[in-house]
Amino acid sequence: MIRHIVLFTWTEAATAEQKAAVTAELRKLPGLIPQLRAYTVGADAGINQGNHDYAVVADFDSVDDYLVYRDHPDHQKVIAEHIKPIVATRAAVQLEL
């Protein structure tokens, strides 16, 4: 099993509406990409200072399934239309479970 974790910080100019759109659009992906086994997205809880603003955690049965998700047109559309316009920094890792 592969777990994909992405952390974002948003630009200062990012609006609440833009951030909400990221969540809304990402939450559509499990219905569009059957290779997703588990999918959690959301804003940081604000418990610790210095954290990233947002996280995505996705589980896949295999590397091939992850690659389908990574390159899927619906996923790429969310990135291009909703994430890239407001992202300041991104960190990601894929690990074997």
Side-chain angles (χ1 to χ4, degrees):
M1 182 164 273
I2 297 294
R3 178 163 289 162
H4 170 62
I5 303 168
V6 184
L7 303 173
F8 297 112
T9 55
W10 304 129
T11 63
E12 291 292 324
T15 67
E17 292 80 15
Q18 287 174 305
K19 295 173 194 178
V22 168
T23 298
E25 295 301 316
L26 286 174
R27 287 185 175 161
K28 293 177 184 176
L29 295 180
L32 301 170
I33 306 172
Q35 289 79 5
L36 281 161
R37 291 292 164 243
Y39 200 62
T40 304
V41 303
D44 179 64
I47 298 166
N48 294 323
Q49 289 186 347
N51 283 359
H52 285 75
D53 296 321
Y54 199 87
V56 177
V57 180
D59 291 342
F60 305 89
D61 287 337
S62 67
V63 171
D64 288 340
D65 285 351
Y66 161 71
L67 294 174
V68 168
Y69 164 81
R70 183 193 70 186
D71 299 334
H72 195 282
D74 291 313
H75 178 231
Q76 289 300 314
K77 183 177 179 181
V78 174
I79 292 168
E81 294 181 6
H82 299 284
I83 295 173
K84 282 188 177 180
I86 64 169
V87 72
T89 65
R90 177 186 180 272
V93 64
Q94 296 78 44
L95 56 112
E96 290 188 48
L97 299 180

